[in-house]
Amino acid sequence: MLIRLGFEIAYRFVQPTPMVVMLDIHGSRAGDVVASVPLHTDPAVPLRRYRDEFGNTCVRLHAPAGLLVLATDAVVRDSGLPDRQQPDAMQVPVEALPEDTLVFLRGSRYCETDALMQYAWDHFGHVPAGWARVQSICDHVHAAIEFGYPHADATRGAARALEEGRGVCRDFAHAAIALCRCMNIPARYCTGYLGDIGVPPVDAPMDFSAWFEVWLDGDWYTFDARHNVPRIGRVLVARGRDAADVAISSTFGPNTLERFEIHTWEAGPESLDLGNGPLRCVA
């Protein structure tokens, strides 16, 4: 399967302003990119890339005063298969976990394990450890939180999302991650593209999506408490402890977001050609 994806995001700045953006396709999917128009800006400014502590690609730039547009377009090869399922995957005891998973057991800004520890053990302590416990957490969060774009709140954490019973995809992910960590299951936040492939299209503007991964039986597995069904066509952009680690943009000065357009859909070979010329094919 080929997936066409990209974005056009516009900010208006009152003065020259430093920025860090996290908008490149994650390096783990670099081999799947078959054609692309790399991230660019209008007006053009120098871009400097680096990798953060979680392996995400970050781009530093200095935005001029006025309107700055960031855009990219790409075609990605995907298996076309839904999220991998492994219902017999077992939980790994803490003492046997790899060192690089331990950071995903700790509480973080939006995943307050201290506030939810008793809640988690009261609700899931009786559920068999492993895949069944993670799925039970997803079922619970899916039922406990009502999705709605008007519910977005950048300051809301997992505990408040469960208390208020409303949120957006990041709140579902934060709640499930926090509950998994309370149960000693390493869990990490993911953000990326997720189109309406294999499901009825949603009559709402496209956005980046949030889901999470857990460490079971020696591997990372994808879960999604918002949709709570295996989905096709996830394309990862970044991973971290929670949304604070994977902000699509960090701006160090006042600005206004004027346009935010994301696209992702199943594509055919004709998608290798744009209206203004072909995408650059990747060897």
Side-chain angles (χ1 to χ4, degrees):
M1 171 185 292
L2 296 178
I3 299 175
R4 178 76 172 269
L5 52 79
F7 59 81
E8 187 171 291
I9 305 173
Y11 298 87
R12 186 170 296 278
F13 296 91
V14 298
Q15 63 193 32
T17 303
M19 280 184 86
V20 177
V21 300
M22 204 176 296
L23 290 165
D24 283 359
I25 294 170
H26 194 267
S28 61
R29 296 298 302 267
D32 296 326
V33 179
V34 297
S36 71
V37 175
L39 176 66
H40 56 283
T41 65
D42 183 16
V45 298
L47 304 177
R48 192 171 82 198
R49 284 174 167 78
Y50 69 93
R51 291 288 179 90
D52 70 6
E53 63 269 38
F54 299 107
N56 305 311
T57 300
C58 305
V59 180
R60 296 183 68 176
L61 60 102
H62 204 87
L67 188 69
L68 179 74
V69 179
L70 298 94
T72 191
D73 206 355
V75 175
V76 174
R77 183 181 296 108
D78 190 80
S79 70
L81 299 175
D83 301 326
R84 184 166 50 124
Q85 302 289 288
Q86 194 66 42
D88 60 349
M90 299 301 296
Q91 185 168 335
V92 179
V94 172
E95 63 271 20
L97 288 169
E99 283 74 15
D100 60 0
T101 68
L102 296 178
V103 66
F104 300 110
L105 281 180
R106 301 172 188 159
S108 55
R109 175 178 175 182
Y110 293 112
C111 300
E112 315 97 325
T113 51
D114 53 349
L116 289 170
M117 189 67 69
Q118 192 61 53
Y119 180 103
W121 282 95
D122 287 347
H123 284 82
F124 310 108
H126 66 285
V127 180
W131 189 279
R133 181 172 282 171
V134 179
Q135 187 57 60
S136 180
I137 288 171
C138 284
D139 293 342
H140 179 85
V141 172
H142 182 76
I145 300 177
E146 176 189 35
F147 178 85
Y149 288 110
H151 302 328
D153 181 343
T155 67
R156 183 190 293 118
R160 187 152 66 89
L162 288 167
E163 179 183 354
E164 294 178 354
R166 60 183 184 178
V168 291
C169 57
R170 61 179 260 158
D171 298 299
F172 287 80
H174 286 150
I177 288 168
L179 294 172
C180 284
R181 292 177 185 171
C182 288
M183 305 305 294
N184 297 326
I185 303 169
R188 61 190 185 186
Y189 184 96
C190 300
T191 185
Y193 297 91
L194 179 61
D196 298 324
I197 299 174
V199 298
V202 176
D203 186 21
M206 187 65 66
D207 196 355
F208 288 111
S209 188
W211 60 90
F212 70 106
E213 296 172 340
V214 299
W215 180 264
L216 296 173
D217 248 357
D219 205 355
W220 290 102
Y221 291 92
T222 295
F223 285 84
D224 186 336
R226 177 200 164 185
H227 297 104
N228 207 26
V229 293
R231 292 289 296 268
I232 296 169
R234 296 183 197 275
V235 179
L236 182 69
V237 169
R239 297 187 181 104
R241 293 166 299 180
D242 59 27
D245 290 330
V246 298
I248 64 168
S249 68
S250 298
T251 54
F252 301 91
N255 65 91
T256 302
L257 178 63
E258 291 203 354
R259 189 161 68 256
F260 187 84
E261 299 174 357
I262 311 296
H263 63 268
T264 175
W265 61 76
E266 183 179 358
E270 70 279 0
S271 289
L272 296 179
D273 189 63
L274 291 173
N276 58 351
L279 291 131
R280 178 171 61 85
C281 291
V282 178

